[in-house]
Amino acid sequence: MSVFEVGDDVISVAGDRYIIEGGPFSGYVPWYAARAEDGVVHLIGQSALRPVEISVGDRVTWDGREYTVEAGPFQSSADSAPWYVVGWSGGHNTLTGHQLRRASAYSAASSSVETAETFEFRGVEYEIGARYCDSDGDVFVFKSELSGPHTRDGNNDRTPLGSEFRYLTEDCDEQWIWSLGEVVRMYGPLTKV
């Protein structure tokens, strides 16, 4: 019987895909709060869920960066988590299976906005990649990757990730920690500059 963490991509015995949102919770059986592809959260017993297998060629994410699985799974010992060789434009890395999330975990609300160059939030359309000034005078830029349980600091409002423009460098993904929703709620309105 598997134990899951928040953000794990799982499949039910009925074949439905979910993302773990909370748990395990105690009850007659251990159970989890799991978000379905349509966004509805269900309470599901642990024994009815299993991890989605990761295969060579799969697109996965970890810590806000997208990778392609190039080799694996490998097992160091019988009780260790499997690990994979993953690649991205900057090179290669080795990550364990529990660190990885499928890049396409949600079909309707995927972790990136692939065809859109804009994103609508609270009735306002924002251009991906454009610079926006907040009420404090800070300038932000937003990318197409959406915030979610897999992102740093737990921003989980499914709006584009952003960074203060003055801290952004080409080789540093560490600064993509704000979500559009968070910036609008705390420092809005935003003005395109």
Side-chain angles (χ1 to χ4, degrees):
M1 190 178 303
S2 296
V3 176
F4 304 106
E5 297 178 13
V6 170
D8 282 353
D9 189 9
V10 297
I11 191 165
S12 72
V13 293
D16 298 318
R17 297 279 295 276
Y18 299 92
I19 299 294
I20 298 297
E21 296 284 323
F25 302 106
S26 297
Y28 179 70
V29 296
W31 56 275
Y32 290 86
R35 183 173 305 281
E37 292 178 349
D38 62 5
V40 176
V41 176
H42 301 268
L43 304 178
I44 304 173
Q46 181 172 311
S47 61
L49 297 172
R50 68 183 195 290
V52 172
E53 298 299 321
I54 296 172
S55 303
V56 172
D58 285 349
R59 288 183 20 234
V60 295
T61 61
W62 176 69
D63 201 24
R65 176 178 282 159
E66 190 168 303
Y67 299 87
T68 300
V69 176
E70 296 186 352
F74 301 103
Q75 195 99 21
S76 299
S77 64
D79 61 345
S80 69
W83 57 275
Y84 299 82
V85 175
V86 295
W88 82 102
S89 61
H92 293 85
N93 203 349
T94 56
L95 298 169
T96 58
H98 74 272
Q99 293 174 297
L100 301 176
R101 304 291 175 258
R102 286 180 176 265
S104 58
Y106 291 114
S107 57
S110 73
S111 60
S112 66
V113 180
E114 299 192 3
T115 58
E117 293 180 3
T118 61
F119 187 89
E120 186 177 332
F121 181 71
R122 293 187 174 172
V124 177
E125 200 154 303
Y126 296 91
E127 183 180 339
I128 301 299
R131 296 178 192 173
Y132 288 90
C133 185
D134 70 9
S135 62
D136 289 340
D138 295 320
V139 176
F140 287 84
V141 63
F142 299 93
K143 63 181 181 174
S144 60
E145 182 180 347
L146 302 182
S147 63
H150 66 285
T151 54
R152 183 184 311 277
D153 295 341
N155 296 326
N156 191 15
D157 58 13
R158 307 298 294 161
T159 62
L161 288 175
S163 175
E164 279 192 73
F165 188 74
R166 62 183 166 170
Y167 297 121
L168 189 60
T169 61
E170 281 187 32
D171 61 342
C172 184
D173 276 344
E174 301 297 313
Q175 299 303 321
W176 294 97
I177 61 172
W178 294 89
S179 73
L180 172 65
E182 180 180 29
V183 173
V184 169
R185 284 188 299 274
M186 295 171 56
Y187 306 106
L190 301 182
T191 305
K192 189 173 178 181
V193 292

